[in-house]
Amino acid sequence: MSGYGSNNKYSFLGGLRAAAQSISYEIPLALCVLSISLHLSGSLSTVDIVEIQSKYGFLSWNVWRQPIGFIVFLISSLAECERLPFDLPEAEEELVAGYQTEYSGIKFALFYVGSYLNLLISSLFVTILYLGGWKSSIPFVENFIQNISINYGINESFDVLKPVLDIFTTLSKSYLFLFISILTRRTLPRVRIDQLLDLGWKFLLPIALGNLLLTASFQILSIN
């Protein structure tokens, strides 16, 4: 909409690139989420997804049970957030600034903040789906702390501090994804638009679909 409303061919081309890129990589993202929600956790609730990963600390994270899905989700998230090497809608050398060409001041700032907010939300999704969410990485540490608080009569203090620890744990894991995405900005070259679409439709989509079918097959075998 911003590209079309600019009445600028470069902005319009950037908007078309952004739409094509978003459609191409949203489907692998959805298939990766389906592999976890429908088969591993049996629920779309983020609380249930995190609770299933809390039995043995980091050993029970979905990243070990879904390594292929994790890699596909990571690449698709970078493409959805338009980070290098997938920042073709904003390619400065090719399109000046893409759909942001005619915008400056507070309007450009809103685009800029929105892109980083999208990156933060993606990192939180990676944390919840694959890295155990707000649960501790060390096995049995939460049960140990809770038993100590009950035995020494400080259970109320533990109930107050637990949400703070959960938030700190979640943000710490999310920072890992943010660090990787910012690191790739300085290490990887930008791909071409045909390479971008080929990666999404010809590689990531079949891999994500195969991962979904493989996960469903293992789930059926385990139930039987």
Side-chain angles (χ1 to χ4, degrees):
M1 290 176 66
S2 62
Y4 182 76
S6 298
N7 195 22
N8 183 318
K9 60 182 179 181
Y10 294 106
S11 299
F12 185 61
L13 183 58
L16 290 178
R17 282 190 176 190
Q21 180 171 325
S22 179
I23 293 171
S24 300
Y25 287 89
E26 277 179 355
I27 301 174
L29 277 175
L31 292 176
C32 292
V33 174
L34 283 176
S35 299
I36 291 177
S37 61
L38 294 183
H39 301 296
L40 293 183
S41 61
S43 173
L44 282 170
S45 171
T46 54
V47 176
D48 294 338
I49 293 173
V50 171
E51 288 296 331
I52 287 202
Q53 302 177 73
S54 64
K55 295 180 181 178
Y56 307 108
F58 71 94
L59 297 175
S60 58
W61 286 357
N62 284 332
V63 67
W64 312 120
R65 295 188 286 178
Q66 287 278 306
I68 299 175
F70 174 71
I71 294 173
V72 173
F73 195 92
L74 199 66
I75 296 173
S76 300
S77 297
L78 288 176
E80 278 292 306
C81 298
E82 297 172 5
R83 307 293 297 179
L84 271 170
F86 307 110
D87 66 335
L88 289 175
E90 310 168 7
E92 294 89 354
E93 293 84 357
E94 302 172 26
L95 298 175
V96 185
Y99 53 83
Q100 305 173 7
T101 304
E102 298 293 331
Y103 296 92
S104 61
I106 187 63
K107 295 179 180 178
F108 175 77
L110 290 175
F111 279 116
Y112 203 74
V113 170
S115 65
Y116 276 93
L117 185 61
N118 194 12
L119 186 62
L120 176 61
I121 293 172
S122 297
S123 66
L124 290 172
F125 268 111
V126 171
T127 300
I128 291 173
L129 294 175
Y130 293 98
L131 302 181
W134 52 85
K135 296 295 182 179
S136 175
S137 306
I138 305 174
F140 312 113
V141 67
E142 289 191 356
N143 294 332
F144 178 72
I145 296 175
Q146 191 169 7
N147 291 333
I148 290 178
S149 65
I150 293 173
N151 293 333
Y152 288 92
I154 54 174
N155 196 26
E156 294 181 357
S157 301
F158 177 75
D159 291 339
V160 173
L161 291 176
K162 190 174 183 303
V164 178
L165 292 174
D166 292 344
I167 293 173
F168 177 78
T169 303
T170 305
L171 294 179
S172 300
K173 295 176 182 177
S174 301
Y175 177 77
L176 177 64
F177 177 78
L178 290 172
F179 176 77
I180 292 174
S181 62
I182 293 175
L183 183 67
T184 55
R185 186 174 182 84
R186 301 301 176 191
T187 54
L188 296 177
R190 181 183 293 120
V191 298
R192 298 195 312 266
I193 186 66
D194 59 326
Q195 294 173 335
L196 175 79
L197 296 179
D198 285 346
L199 178 66
W201 290 107
K202 294 183 180 180
F203 291 96
L204 293 185
L205 179 59
I207 291 173
L209 187 59
N211 180 62
L212 176 63
L213 297 176
L214 191 64
T215 306
S217 302
F218 275 112
Q219 192 74 9
I220 292 172
L221 289 174
S222 64
I223 291 174
N224 292 336

